[in-house]
Amino acid sequence: MEIISIIEYIGIASAALSGYLFGVKKGCDWLGVFLAAFLTALGGGILRDMLVSRAIYSFTHYMPMIIVILVLLVANFTNLHKKRDKLEKKFIFIFADAIDVICFSIVGAMVAVEYGHNVFGVGLMAFFNGVGGGILRDILLNEVPWFLTTGLYGTISLCVGISYYLLYLAGFTGVFFVLCLLALGITIRMFAYYNGWRLPPLKD
């Protein structure tokens, strides 16, 4: 599906930018900023490929790494890190972040289905592909994983994976249905962010 590849590349770009801004915020040097961007953009896909025991896509195809490097160069050249506080709260940045987590989740679910996983495997593979990169970045930079502190981030990723599995069982895996799932996931994520939706905490 070429359209999914295009959307995934957009997701890689937005995730790399998010990682770049996070690395700068933490006072990292160029290597640290690169690793933050690399892990955010490609870490989830690396976890996915390791879990299904296949060649790591980011290490066998040039485009993902090229996108990460281009984002770093453009972001540094345009001094985006100096506009970090304003940029992180802008609609376009939140929207791009929603695109990458939902798209990565769908791709993870697709790979899991391809390798014969059951509904639990598909849901968790979507989760690891969707938020795994952010988890690796936060562990590297000694932060509480972001998906644990923001509105339904990981929950939506998991639900998107399960939803794709149900579509697969029903035979609805064409481009139209995948794009509908993508749009629905992005919409719910945006509503969750702006309305502060989150799972209820455990009570003593």
Side-chain angles (χ1 to χ4, degrees), residues 15-59:
L17 178 58
S18 174
Y20 165 83
L21 294 174
F22 194 85
V24 172
K25 182 179 180 179
K26 296 292 290 186
C28 297
D29 60 15
W30 258 108
L31 177 60
V33 169
F34 169 76
L35 288 175
F38 170 80
L39 289 175
T40 307
L42 306 178
I46 292 173
L47 283 176
R48 174 202 66 210
D49 293 337
M50 291 175 64
L51 287 171
V52 298
S53 300
R54 77 171 189 177
I56 296 175
Y57 185 85
S58 301
F59 296 162

Side-chain angles (χ1 to χ4, degrees), residues 122-140:
V122 173
L124 289 174
M125 195 69 71
F127 174 82
F128 285 126
N129 204 157
V131 305
I135 294 174
L136 293 175
R137 177 203 64 203
D138 292 339
I139 291 174
L140 176 69

Side-chain angles (χ1 to χ4, degrees), residues 69-86:
I69 293 173
L70 285 177
V71 167
L72 290 176
L73 293 176
V74 171
N76 188 67
F77 179 76
T78 56
N79 292 319
L80 282 182
H81 56 282
K82 296 181 179 179
K83 308 169 185 175
R84 183 184 67 244
D85 294 335
K86 295 180 180 179

